[in-house]
Amino acid sequence: MAGIAAWGAYLPTFRLDRKTMGRAWDTPSLPGERSVSAGDEDSLTMGVEAALACLAGRDRSDVDAVFFATTTSPYAEKQGAATIAAVLDLPNALTSDVTGSLRAATTALRSALDAIAAGTARAVLVVAADARPAEPATATEQLLGDGAAAVLITADGPAEIIGVAGVTEDFTGPWRRTVDHYVRSFEPKLETEYGYARAVIAAAKEALSRAGIAAEQVTKFVAYAPDPRTLATTAKRIGVAEVARDPLFSTVGNLGAAHTLVALAAALDGAAAGDHIIAVAQGDGADALVLRIGAGIDAARSGVPVADLIASKQMLPSYEGFLRFRRLLPSDASDPRSSTVQYWRDRRQALPFEGVRCTACGIVQFPANRACVECAALDKMEPIKLAHRGRIFTFTLDHLVGGEYLETPVPRVVVDMDGGGRVFFDMTDVNPDEVRIGNEIELTFRRIHDGAGFHNYYWKARPPRTATVPA
Amino acid sequence: MPGIKDRIAVAGVGATRFTEHWEKDQEDLLVEAVDEACRDAGIERSDIQAIWAGVYYHTTGMGGAAAVDPLRMYGVPATRVENFCASGMDAFRNACFAVAAGVYDIVLACGVEKITDSGSRGLPNVREGLHPFLPAPSAPAMFAMAATRAFEVHGWNKEDLARVAVKNHANGEKHPKAHFRRAITMDDAMNAPIIAYPLGRFDSCAVSDGASAVIVTTPAVAKTLTHKDDYVLAKANGLSVYTANPMYKPSFDYLGFPATQAAAKMAYEEAGVTDPFEQISLAEVHDCFTITELLNYEDLGFCKKGEGANFVRDGLANADGPLPVNPSGGLKSFGHPIGATGCRMIGEVTRQLQGRAEGVQVRDPELGLAHNLGGPGAVCSVTILGRQ
């Protein structure tokens, strides 16, 4: 069978201590902290980050399909996978959003395996991301976290998938109607036993049986679970020898439809040839996949380890920061101006971050124009993808943005991109006092604003979170 | 090319006070400035054959009617001029060209802006958000990025900037039409809240309302009007337009403004100025931010590149120095109602050359320079005026 050839994850830089949340509402606190996507992040921007991390340094021309799995697409009508494919510049890829269920990611994986088996795709990218909304002042609000992961499936991926099974069962829990603001949940005890454990155990046992693997042979059990205790007891009931520990619960939280894929990426980071991993996700039934780790696993390790992403963090000092990021407080600020027509026209600048190179003088420039910004030669331009890294040429800390005087300045930076191109960015995820000329930056995909009633996505600069270059 | 040298006369000038005019609208301000200019020249509004009006903000601009309607000069040819913060001096340039072409004898160049109708915190938001995703810096941010480079490359610091603010506010204290008529100390300037690092409140010009007007004619006609003995001659105007997006131009070094350098070269050639430091008696330059004034000294050839900070530190730009810069108090004291600034500068230099400056009169000026910079260094107009 086919296997995972590459993987990558993305966790937002911000964390909120659950004690801070408990203090804010005068309620008990769960242990640990949760990840919080910033105000300009959503499932799609995090999915883009994970997709870029997964494919870093790899030729993408064989990626024939992109699937985006989420329960929190920023659009009710418009495809997220198409935006991811546009950033990756894969115009011929089959794209699809898999949504509506916490097992969307494993369902997308099963479809990817079918496409590889059918010979209709050489490589399939499965991206999962979630940033689920929770009722303020509830334990769910503390439990949930935001994050994303991506895996690339190919016919010869070294993390071979040797057994797949699934059960489908209509079950109302957890759920969110189109008119609901927050995730709803069922009577928890009933949900855990009848909605979760039964389906997960059935799918896992069947997948192991199809793989011809005994439960005791499993080295790692990775799964979405409503809480860590349920994860451990379920693993035990399947017969997995090792006690299943979730690396995410106390550090970033329950990542929803992305949870199993992020946990799987973490397991692959530490996997050795000969290991067996079982990955399970639940939601209206369950999917289970059994993986056998092959000798090529070390060569496939290109991305940033999940443990590094967990460690790379900034604490939100207060719950109010979370309220602001989530836009939970009403605001009468007017919409910034925008234009769907202009966004469409400039889509290659916005998404694949394409500039041009003048063949007359060699200067790389952005944004694209017919006449060279340096030598004025006309129609000598060839398109070129700009690097996602560069160095600050000059900067300011702007307190006066859009006629509004801010307490906290926005770092605004002029960057010389590696390999050419000079571009002006807003900077994020940085202490303004630490911005200097010459500092290295990398790009991060963000939702800039919602002018003209659509999500205007583009890039911001941030300090490099890791040593690896996403390109 | 004959140019405009000695073919154009300034017959009269007028301006409102530049301040927060809460009780006056844009129309009131323009009427006040034009009325003063007409009285100064000794003409009636009906003598004016054509109008060029500098107005930047489209939200308040109504084409040529922005001038014709408030002045009730129906039927007169009028054009609204918009060229960033240099809109006002570009209105003057167009007026000069029309007279030099022989099409008209007496025309009006004017400019007005009512900024505070959009609030008093920074300029109204024009470019930010116009593009779906490309960010646009605030005006202070754009010039702050030049200061950051100058700090890095020249080793300049906040004190170098503060000296410009202290000098200009000392001059502005004495000008009856300035927005701020108060001297400040180095401590005031150094410790003010930051607007866009490294620029603080006293590094930035204020948000003000105002209008200004200049009556442009030929020397022959000027001899028949009030200032027949002391009208002022245009010696040159240079206009240069560079990029409005320097932050995307790889070769832009932020250590000066090519538009100023080019406009100055044009103006000096036309006026026959070969050594500006020696030949120019005074200059009103565009000090929208303190860093801009330091870079202007270099771009205008008053000193060498990198020596702008020394120029002000050594007192060379003081009102009693060898080359007084902004004896009026500059934009630092007046604020910058965009369209109004250019013609106000022409008015300041004219009055200096006539020996009737409001505020600080410099001693025996022969040649005066006015410099109006627009956008992120995108547009520059340099005018040189001289005595008969």
Side-chain angles (χ1 to χ4, degrees):
Chain A
M1 280 177 100
I4 294 173
W7 62 93
Y10 174 77
L11 298 170
T13 189
F14 291 107
R15 304 285 191 277
L16 188 55
D17 192 319
R18 289 175 177 135
K19 281 203 232 27
T20 308
M21 305 180 80
R23 258 200 309 275
W25 294 115
D26 198 17
T27 57
S29 310
L30 296 171
E33 53 205 45
R34 61 159 290 173
S35 59
V36 179
S37 49
D40 58 358
E41 293 187 290
D42 60 23
S43 293
L44 190 49
T45 65
M46 294 191 294
V48 164
E49 297 270 352
L52 288 170
C54 177
L55 297 178
R58 190 186 190 280
D59 176 29
R60 302 167 187 169
S61 56
D62 62 347
V63 179
D64 293 322
V66 177
F67 297 148
F68 179 46
T70 182
T71 67
T72 50
S73 170
Y75 284 107
E77 179 173 335
K78 175 174 166 34
Q79 198 186 57
T83 305
I84 297 172
V87 172
L88 298 173
D89 201 14
L90 298 169
N92 299 314
L94 168 74
T95 58
S96 178
D97 284 2
V98 187
T99 184
S101 169
L102 290 176
R103 68 172 163 134
T106 49
T107 304
L109 273 176
R110 292 177 65 185
S111 297
L113 292 168
D114 289 346
I116 301 284
T120 56
R122 291 165 294 168
V124 181
L125 182 70
V126 174
V127 182
D130 242 346
R132 294 163 73 211
E135 184 84 33
T138 62
T140 308
E141 189 189 33
Q142 296 185 23
L143 181 65
L144 299 188
D146 308 331
V151 296
L152 185 71
I153 309 290
T154 63
D156 57 356
E160 195 187 352
I161 296 164
I162 58 172
V164 179
V167 295
T168 294
E169 184 182 24
D170 181 55
F171 194 85
T172 313
W175 76 95
R176 184 157 50 91
R177 296 176 301 171
T178 48
V179 296
D180 286 334
H181 293 105
Y182 306 117
V183 174
R184 292 172 175 274
S185 51
F186 204 60
E187 154 58 36
K189 279 185 183 165
L190 190 149
E191 183 177 317
T192 300
E193 178 54 30
Y194 291 89
Y196 181 80
R198 285 188 176 207
V200 167
I201 291 164
K205 285 191 167 169
E206 179 59 22
L208 286 166
S209 160
R210 290 181 185 181
I213 296 291
E216 303 81 57
Q217 286 174 268
V218 171
T219 23
K220 198 92 193 170
F221 176 76
V222 299
Y224 164 82
D227 59 81
R229 213 184 79 187
T230 305
L231 180 77
T233 56
T234 306
K236 204 171 162 190
R237 286 166 70 183
I238 294 165
V240 175
E242 202 195 39
V243 177
R245 283 194 194 85
D246 185 316
L248 307 176
F249 170 76
S250 64
T251 52
V252 291
N254 175 333
L255 303 179
H259 197 90
T260 297
L261 236 52
V262 175
L264 178 60
L268 290 169
D269 289 339
D275 283 359
H276 287 104
I277 298 173
I278 181 163
V280 192
Q282 173 268 344
D284 290 304
D287 298 311
L289 299 92
V290 179
L291 293 88
R292 181 169 60 212
I293 306 304
I297 194 71
D298 289 329
R301 255 185 264 281
S302 64
V304 182
V306 174
D308 288 9
L309 288 169
I310 291 172
S312 156
K313 64 176 181 180
Q314 296 176 53
M315 297 307 296
L316 276 177
S318 69
Y319 182 82
E320 287 82 344
F322 177 79
L323 286 183
R324 200 173 67 173
F325 280 167
R326 290 284 82 82
R327 296 180 176 82
L328 293 177
L329 302 173
S331 164
D332 289 341
S334 57
D335 263 4
R337 273 167 288 175
S338 188
S339 154
T340 47
V341 175
Q342 205 176 354
Y343 192 86
W344 171 80
R345 197 164 53 232
D346 293 342
R347 63 198 178 278
R348 293 201 61 80
Q349 295 162 25
L351 301 175
F353 194 47
E354 187 177 271
V356 289
R357 182 184 164 274
C358 174
T359 57
C361 72
I363 296 294
V364 175
Q365 49 205 277
F366 182 95
N369 225 320
R370 280 181 63 182
C372 175
V373 72
E374 293 296 350
C375 78
L378 196 62
D379 293 333
K380 296 290 183 193
M381 297 301 181
E382 58 181 18
I384 181 173
K385 301 262 182 51
L386 301 193
H388 286 203
R389 281 219 174 192
R391 284 183 190 280
I392 295 174
F393 179 77
T394 188
F395 71 94
T396 181
L397 308 176
D398 197 349
H399 289 261
L400 195 63
V401 176
E404 183 186 359
Y405 193 84
L406 307 170
E407 293 296 321
T408 315
V410 178
R412 318 192 90 179
V413 295
V414 173
V415 177
D416 282 329
M417 309 310 297
D418 292 354
R422 181 176 286 186
V423 187
F424 179 64
F425 296 106
D426 287 353
M427 193 162 181
T428 186
D429 296 2
V430 67
N431 175 352
D433 296 339
E434 289 169 7
V435 180
R436 298 276 183 283
I437 285 177
N439 280 3
E440 198 172 14
I441 62 95
E442 66 185 14
L443 298 191
T444 176
F445 193 67
R446 297 298 171 110
R447 192 161 88 192
I448 303 301
H449 58 77
D450 274 10
F454 72 106
H455 302 313
N456 292 238
Y457 291 108
Y458 183 58
W459 306 89
K460 289 186 178 180
R462 73 168 177 224
R465 280 192 66 188
T466 59
T468 317
V469 183
Chain B
M1 290 189 294
I4 61 170
K5 185 181 182 184
D6 296 332
R7 303 172 61 214
I8 299 296
V10 174
V13 298
T16 65
R17 187 178 171 203
F18 281 29
T19 188
E20 291 166 348
H21 283 292
W22 301 114
E23 295 184 12
K24 293 176 183 173
D25 63 17
Q26 175 168 309
E27 289 72 18
D28 295 332
L29 296 175
L30 192 69
V31 168
E32 185 179 324
V34 172
D35 184 50
E36 184 176 288
C38 287
R39 288 166 189 270
D40 188 38
I43 63 167
E44 299 296 327
R45 267 179 296 159
S46 55
D47 295 325
I48 295 169
Q49 298 154 357
I51 306 170
W52 282 264
V55 185
Y56 179 65
Y57 282 102
H58 60 280
T59 45
T60 55
M62 297 288 288
V68 165
D69 256 329
L71 296 167
R72 301 290 188 239
M73 290 174 65
Y74 297 127
V76 172
T79 301
R80 185 196 135 190
V81 179
E82 186 256 288
N83 218 340
F84 282 115
C85 300
S87 301
M89 202 177 289
D90 206 14
F92 174 73
R93 167 177 167 269
N94 280 278
C96 290
F97 287 180
V99 172
V103 180
Y104 305 111
D105 293 322
I106 299 178
V107 303
L108 168 67
C110 58
V112 62
E113 216 77 62
K114 188 73 181 68
I115 308 280
T116 59
D117 282 6
S118 308
S120 61
R121 291 195 146 176
L123 291 173
N125 189 358
V126 168
R127 301 191 67 222
E128 177 89 20
L130 265 189
H131 193 276
F133 52 86
L134 295 182
S138 66
M142 186 59 232
F143 289 89
M145 293 195 292
T148 308
R149 283 305 299 173
F151 284 16
E152 174 86 2
V153 176
H154 296 322
W156 295 355
N157 56 33
K158 289 271 291 175
E159 244 174 89
D160 294 316
L161 302 181
R163 284 190 191 94
V164 175
V166 169
K167 169 184 74 78
N168 290 354
H169 280 287
N171 294 343
E173 185 184 19
K174 303 179 183 77
H175 199 302
K177 286 181 176 170
H179 186 164
F180 295 104
R181 304 190 55 203
R182 182 168 77 81
I184 62 165
T185 65
M186 286 294 283
D187 280 349
D188 293 336
M190 299 282 291
N191 299 323
I194 294 292
I195 302 291
Y197 170 87
L199 302 179
R201 184 174 290 161
F202 282 114
D203 292 307
S204 313
C205 69
V207 170
S208 315
D209 305 318
S212 59
V214 179
I215 305 298
V216 175
T217 184
T218 61
V221 172
K223 284 185 180 39
T224 70
L225 301 176
T226 305
H227 290 286
K228 58 182 187 294
D229 297 322
D230 66 346
Y231 65 83
V232 160
L233 284 168
K235 296 292 181 181
N237 175 277
L239 177 81
S240 169
V241 180
Y242 206 63
T243 175
N245 296 294
M247 57 281 194
Y248 292 96
K249 189 163 167 39
S251 64
F252 194 78
D253 68 6
Y254 290 84
L255 298 173
F257 298 104
T260 297
Q261 295 155 17
K265 184 166 183 286
M266 290 175 206
Y268 290 154
E269 277 175 14
E270 182 175 12
V273 170
T274 52
D275 184 345
F277 180 71
E278 287 301 325
Q279 292 172 264
I280 303 289
S281 316
L282 79 138
E284 288 288 329
V285 309
H286 198 92
D287 58 328
C288 51
F289 300 94
T290 50
I291 180 65
T292 323
E293 177 157 332
L294 293 180
L295 297 174
N296 292 339
Y297 299 152
E298 303 175 11
D299 290 336
L300 292 167
F302 297 171
C303 64
K304 292 201 184 76
K305 195 143 182 148
E307 292 179 1
N310 295 346
F311 194 82
V312 70
R313 184 169 49 223
D314 298 343
L316 303 180
N318 287 352
D320 58 357
L323 175 40
V325 178
N326 286 327
S328 71
L331 279 63
K332 279 297 300 118
S333 303
F334 275 80
H336 179 30
I338 309 295
T341 293
C343 287
R344 177 187 68 79
M345 292 169 152
I346 300 292
E348 301 291 353
V349 173
T350 296
R351 286 172 161 276
Q352 286 284 357
L353 293 170
Q354 292 168 330
R356 56 181 187 121
E358 296 171 291
V360 182
Q361 173 67 50
V362 308
R363 200 182 303 161
D364 300 329
E366 289 291 329
L367 270 191
L369 179 147
H371 161 264
N372 199 189
L373 184 70
V379 180
C380 180
S381 181
V382 171
T383 301
I384 298 174
L385 300 172
R387 298 212 301 224
Q388 293 168 50

